[in-house]
Amino acid sequence: DVKVTQSSRYLVKRTGEKVFLECVQDMDHENMFWYRQDPGLGLRLIYFSYDVKMKEKGDIPEGYSVSREKKERFSLILESASTNQTSMYLCASMASGRAADTQYFGPGTRLTVL
Amino acid sequence: AQSVAQPEDQVNVAEGNPLTVKCTYSVSGNPYLFWYVQYPNRGLQFLLKYITGDNLVKGSYGFEAEFNKSQTSFHLKKPSALVSDSALYFCAVRDIRSNDYKLSFGAGTTVTVRA
């Protein structure tokens, strides 16, 4: 079974702090994704990566950056957290090529910015 | 462009009754379609997918979904709902021609099954 883990289930930070959210997958997947989930809006894609050191902006990248130094790890960075970044953050991974169809999700990190 | 609509914010059914969660989609080409379920304070769990082939897809926990190309729909169904099916359900779509594997999600439908 695919396993995607996220470093924290719950996180509370203050406005202006730098925040790191970590995601690790154990299936050697090439593709990894960061979403945020807000009530009534579903999941919105922040960034994704299709290979080590590669990244692409999603639909709402403003205020976020990412890092992928190793294949199994994809980090989401909030350079200066703001209250409107309070949300549930979900990481996902997916294979490439002919096996590329299903994204597998981690348990999520509920971030509160005070 | 690709998008998904889940027209119902909430669905309430009695245990033992049929459950239907509606989804319609829009893509330029042909779709890959997915249903995910989210239990409280948890991540998304994959339920089922339509890639190609038979329009009726069977998935986990007794769920199934029917792909209807003419109506651009992919409704999720379960013949007999359980209280444990109470959760948030998301439909998602990807254009089969897409090279970036991006999924577009609906806003979600909260299902409540009463005993």
Side-chain angles (χ1 to χ4, degrees):
Chain A
D1 281 352
V2 176
K3 184 150 187 173
V4 181
T5 58
Q6 295 183 228
S7 51
S8 304
R9 293 297 304 277
Y10 300 93
L11 209 52
V12 180
K13 296 291 181 182
R14 297 210 173 270
T15 301
E17 280 192 77
K18 190 169 186 176
V19 182
F20 293 87
L21 303 182
E22 303 283 334
C23 176
V24 177
Q25 51 95 3
D26 67 355
M27 282 302 291
D28 202 36
H29 285 170
E30 291 80 6
N31 304 286
M32 296 187 75
F33 307 81
W34 274 107
Y35 296 87
R36 64 176 282 175
Q37 179 185 0
D38 300 288
L41 297 177
L43 276 70
R44 293 179 291 167
L45 182 64
I46 304 171
Y47 268 96
F48 66 101
S49 169
Y50 52 88
D51 203 350
V52 176
K53 297 191 184 294
M54 305 304 289
K55 61 184 179 183
E56 294 284 344
K57 291 180 180 179
D59 300 318
I60 51 163
E62 296 79 18
Y64 304 94
S65 62
V66 290
S67 172
R68 191 155 181 213
E69 297 297 319
K70 293 185 178 182
K71 192 175 186 180
E72 68 271 18
R73 188 179 298 269
F74 191 34
S75 302
L76 180 69
I77 303 155
L78 288 66
E79 294 289 343
S80 178
S82 63
T83 55
N84 63 13
Q85 292 178 310
T86 292
S87 186
M88 173 74 121
Y89 290 87
L90 293 164
C91 174
S93 75
M94 189 177 77
S96 285
R98 294 178 68 86
D101 52 33
T102 304
Q103 291 189 18
Y104 296 95
F105 285 81
T109 295
R110 188 167 293 281
L111 172 66
T112 302
V113 182
L114 301 175
Chain B
Q2 57 190 36
S3 65
V4 167
Q6 293 181 241
E8 299 160 317
D9 292 336
Q10 292 200 349
V11 170
N12 299 304
V13 298
E15 189 172 35
N17 282 0
L19 170 63
T20 299
V21 187
K22 296 179 180 177
C23 170
T24 58
Y25 67 90
S26 175
V27 293
S28 301
N30 290 318
Y32 286 167
L33 291 156
F34 303 85
W35 276 102
Y36 288 86
V37 61
Q38 185 180 39
Y39 298 101
N41 298 312
R42 306 294 291 275
L44 268 66
Q45 186 173 333
F46 169 72
L47 268 183
L48 52 78
K49 64 186 176 188
Y50 171 81
I51 302 298
T52 187
D54 195 347
N55 289 343
L56 184 63
V57 178
K58 294 188 183 296
S60 306
Y61 312 121
F63 283 95
E64 59 187 30
E66 185 164 12
F67 170 62
N68 187 317
K69 189 171 184 177
S70 63
Q71 296 186 4
T72 61
S73 67
F74 190 56
H75 301 331
L76 181 70
K77 298 181 180 183
K78 186 169 183 179
S80 179
L82 301 172
V83 172
S84 57
D85 294 327
S86 298
L88 181 57
Y89 292 79
F90 290 99
C91 182
V93 69
R94 173 161 75 89
D95 192 319
I96 197 171
R97 301 177 306 178
S98 168
N99 292 324
D100 60 18
Y101 306 128
K102 290 167 62 175
L103 280 179
S104 294
F105 285 83
T109 299
T110 299
V111 171
T112 302
V113 182
R114 59 186 185 277

